[in-house]
Amino acid sequence: MTATTPIDRNGGQILIQQLCAHGVKRVFLVPGESYLPCIDALYDHQDTIQAVVCRQEGGAAYMAEATGKLSGEPGICFVTRGPGACNASIGVHTAFQDSTPMILFVGQVGNDFYEREAFQEIDYRQMFGPMTKWVAQIDRTDRIPEYIARAFTVATSGRPGPVVLALPEDVLWGTAAVPDMPRYCRAHSSPSVQDMERMRALIEAAERPLMIVGGSGWTPAAAADLQKFAERFSLPVGVAWRRLECFDQHHPNFVGHVGWSMTEELRARVCDADVLLAVCTRLGEASTEGYSVVQSPQPKQKLIHVYPDANELGRVFLPTQAITADPVGFAQAAADLKPRQPPRWASATQTGHRQYLDSLKPLPSPGSMSLDVAAAHVNVHLPADACVTVGAGNYALYPHRYRQFAGLGTSLAPAVGAMGYGLPAAIAAKLDNRERTVVCYAGDGCFQMNLQELGVAMQHRLGIIILVFNNGIWGTIRAHQEREFPGRTIALGFDNPEFTQIVQAYHGYGEVVADNAEFAPAFERARQFAEKENLPALLEIRYDSDGIAPGSTLTQIRRDALARQASELNQL
């Protein structure tokens, strides 16, 4: 067969055709004249690629990052040069710390204007270098296929992450007769037989083992293989901070969400473990509660650390055994591993699961509206495959504690702790699967960082449910302030708009809830509206700001801090 002779195409046409070749189904963008040929090229691929026009580049980048989390393929975002790139940087930082495959395309001044500080010019290599796996500028039209193929490979290989490619205007307007590259192929790393034999020996010699699962790149088959491995070895399993979807929390081996605000029983289990099997998680600051329950650089537990990037192994924690493997490779190897004797800790695993189930019971909270009660109700009344999204703030601790996540695709949460993430992530989840129930938890401050993306939900008729927790303060920072400077509250309160009127302006449904008895019927009304009208439904939940976290109040935090200060003064 004779290969087709390439025809002349402009850079935008070449680039968008490469996205088609690599299987891209959706791109998120805020249009800009700096990459106009790419926008024009999308016109010819409307049957293949959906172009989702966002209201601000931060929202667009978040949506691309969330898409990368859901699919395991790079989420794609286009923004214009300078200000557009600066706005989008928050999504890139999130993708980097969350290990999410993502590609950001940024318009750039032409090479003939470069290094003159032309209009909106930035050196993106310097700007994005510390927060990407690779950042480059494509300076020749005929090399576009090469750069795109490399971008997909880099974004998904080893520890996944973001790639940024700058697109000079003259390269996009220029033409070349160049062939398309074939679709990229993701490489997987797997442990050796010797690795698995040593790991089995360490586990079987343990008395109190614990497996913590996290990271990105999981597939349904890999998750199922890991679950069977846990069953055969009767291992108690926790998920790393905000990796709530990595293990089915209904499973009898599940013992909880490891990280900030975990239960005392789970904290003790992590601290007392003699063998800790960390599977594809970095065990960052959040999961280890400031490197305390797992100490750096030398953990007191025997640490078996499995991670797809060898550069991460030994970087923060010195492991007893280091295994270079990604989720797919490790799970495939673990699928064939069997214990040589009945595990001695099976009853302890059962106890851990019972303690987890006990933690789902709502804790007491001040006022007539309890976030504990609301979150527990949502857990029971949502379908198992529903996707719950959050941004950052103490409000997110409620779905983290009370929702039993059922596996991949059921949680979108920024491990980096980026505010404003919940709504764009919910939009991405609903675009990914319109039949899936999607609920966004958002604090009143967090929600206002990207509420303009309600326009995307309206335009694409996305029936998402939004729970806005209105306490009129920056709650997480208020808690820190009371802990360190008790009674000296300043610069943390704000007046809020009528959120119900805002969502109504976007043709959605809005209702205020201020009492426990009101929540269940209001949630059902919101859910029915979202499903019937395919438009956003918002519940504004007004509650006592003293209830700052599950089982915790600002009053008690202040009281404890004042008592600590008094004790320190008495010791002087």
Side-chain angles (χ1 to χ4, degrees):
M1 180 181 295
T2 304
T4 304
T5 302
I7 61 172
D8 259 0
R9 296 171 290 176
N10 69 35
Q13 292 169 326
I14 295 171
L15 193 154
I16 299 302
Q17 182 58 52
Q18 304 317 299
L19 298 188
C20 290
H22 290 295
V24 172
K25 298 179 176 64
R26 186 173 295 113
V27 300
F28 300 93
L29 69 152
V30 175
E33 74 276 12
S34 62
Y35 66 96
L36 210 54
C38 295
I39 298 174
D40 176 73
L42 285 168
Y43 183 88
D44 296 322
H45 295 280
Q46 296 178 66
D47 58 337
T48 305
I49 297 179
Q50 180 185 26
V52 180
V53 178
C54 304
R55 297 343 185 224
Q56 204 256 17
E57 291 88 357
Y62 275 150
M63 292 181 204
E65 194 277 346
T67 298
K69 274 192 172 84
L70 287 167
S71 67
E73 307 283 346
I76 306 298
C77 183
F78 280 85
V79 298
T80 197
R81 62 194 175 218
C86 291
N87 283 339
S89 63
I90 188 170
V92 177
H93 185 220
T94 300
F96 183 75
Q97 287 220 335
D98 283 42
S99 303
T100 305
M102 173 184 172
I103 302 174
L104 176 69
F105 294 99
V106 183
Q108 176 63 297
V109 301
N111 281 296
D112 49 344
F113 289 177
Y114 196 58
E115 293 192 351
R116 294 178 177 174
E117 197 184 336
F119 182 60
Q120 299 180 337
E121 178 185 346
I122 294 179
D123 184 337
Y124 298 113
R125 294 184 180 90
Q126 293 190 52
M127 174 181 173
F128 286 109
M131 66 173 94
T132 58
K133 291 190 69 179
W134 180 47
V135 55
Q137 182 165 302
I138 309 177
D139 287 329
R140 284 174 44 181
T141 305
D142 63 344
R143 294 189 67 183
I144 290 175
E146 170 195 345
Y147 275 78
I148 303 301
R150 179 177 172 184
F152 275 84
T153 300
V154 171
T156 57
S157 64
R159 175 187 175 184
V163 168
V164 174
L165 291 180
L167 310 171
E169 286 191 68
D170 57 312
V171 172
L172 294 181
W173 285 97
T175 62
V178 59
D180 298 322
M181 295 283 284
R183 179 176 176 135
Y184 83 103
C185 182
R186 184 171 188 169
H188 294 289
S189 52
S190 300
S192 67
V193 173
Q194 291 78 13
D195 285 332
M196 299 306 285
E197 286 298 324
R198 186 184 178 201
M199 183 189 78
R200 177 165 60 180
L202 285 169
I203 293 172
E204 290 183 336
E207 296 293 336
R208 300 175 304 281
L210 173 66
M211 180 163 69
I212 301 177
V213 185
S216 61
W218 290 93
T219 65
D225 283 341
L226 190 78
Q227 181 173 299
K228 292 174 183 175
F229 164 72
E231 291 169 358
R232 288 194 300 273
F233 283 82
S234 297
L235 288 172
V237 181
V239 288
W241 172 252
R242 291 196 159 187
R243 298 299 189 179
L244 298 143
E245 73 285 359
C246 287
F247 198 85
D248 185 347
Q249 297 181 13
H250 300 85
H251 194 278
N253 289 51
F254 185 72
V255 297
H257 180 203
V258 178
W260 287 324
S261 294
M262 61 181 144
T263 64
E264 288 299 327
E265 293 84 359
L266 182 55
R267 183 177 294 108
R269 183 176 293 273
V270 178
C271 290
D272 294 342
D274 53 357
V275 169
L276 197 61
L277 173 57
V279 180
C280 297
T281 171
R282 293 182 60 246
L283 288 177
E285 177 188 354
S287 293
T288 62
E289 290 192 332
Y291 310 104
S292 61
V293 296
V294 184
Q295 296 174 5
S296 171
Q298 179 67 64
K300 67 177 183 179
Q301 306 93 334
K302 289 183 179 179
L303 175 62
I304 306 170
H305 200 174
V306 182
Y307 204 73
D309 185 348
N311 292 319
E312 289 292 333
L313 296 171
R315 177 185 173 194
V316 180
F317 304 98
L318 183 64
T320 301
Q321 182 185 8
I323 300 175
T324 304
D326 70 1
V328 171
F330 179 79
Q332 285 177 344
D336 297 326
L337 202 65
K338 296 180 176 60
R340 289 170 292 199
Q341 56 191 13
R344 298 180 296 280
W345 48 82
S347 62
T349 299
Q350 294 169 3
T351 299
H353 185 64
R354 284 197 301 271
Q355 290 170 339
Y356 163 70
L357 294 178
D358 286 342
S359 74
L360 300 177
K361 300 171 184 175
L363 293 169
S365 57
S368 59
M369 181 68 242
S370 165
L371 301 193
D372 302 80
V373 170
H377 176 87
V378 172
N379 179 44
V380 173
H381 290 84
L382 279 186
D385 66 346
C387 181
V388 173
T389 74
V390 301
N394 272 21
Y395 73 87
L397 298 175
Y398 292 90
H400 289 354
R401 181 182 181 104
Y402 295 113
R403 175 61 176 165
Q404 289 178 280
F405 294 91
L408 302 181
T410 61
S411 170
L412 287 172
V416 69
M419 296 187 73
Y421 181 87
L423 179 60
I427 289 169
K430 198 67 173 178
L431 285 168
D432 179 72
N433 183 351
R434 288 178 173 270
E435 301 304 313
R436 175 169 44 201
T437 300
V438 178
V439 178
C440 167
Y441 280 74
D444 46 359
C446 191
F447 179 64
Q448 291 182 82
M449 289 190 174
N450 269 315
L451 66 79
Q452 73 280 348
E453 302 306 336
L454 283 171
V456 179
M458 176 185 68
Q459 181 174 348
H460 291 272
R461 298 194 69 89
L462 304 176
I464 57 178
I465 303 166
I466 306 162
L467 306 179
V468 176
F469 298 99
N470 183 355
N471 64 358
I473 60 173
W474 296 107
T476 302
I477 310 308
R478 172 69 182 277
H480 286 303
Q481 191 177 59
E482 292 287 9
R483 190 174 292 111
E484 303 300 332
F485 302 100
R488 296 176 57 80
T489 303
I490 189 172
L492 292 177
F494 49 82
D495 293 334
N496 280 319
E498 294 290 337
F499 292 112
T500 56
Q501 294 183 25
I502 290 176
V503 74
Q504 288 166 13
Y506 287 96
H507 303 172
Y509 175 83
E511 185 174 347
V512 173
V513 180
D515 188 270
N516 288 338
E518 300 171 357
F519 181 79
F523 185 75
E524 185 58 28
R525 285 189 291 271
R527 182 175 171 181
Q528 289 182 5
F529 176 90
E531 291 177 355
K532 180 181 178 181
E533 303 297 334
N534 295 315
L535 286 166
L538 181 150
L539 297 183
E540 178 187 332
I541 301 171
R542 297 176 180 173
Y543 67 104
D544 189 339
S545 62
D546 193 40
I548 197 62
S552 178
T553 64
L554 290 172
T555 299
Q556 189 61 51
I557 292 173
R558 177 185 291 188
R559 186 180 295 123
D560 292 345
L562 290 171
R564 185 189 69 243
Q565 289 183 353
S567 175
E568 291 170 351
L569 285 173
N570 290 334
Q571 293 175 10
L572 294 178

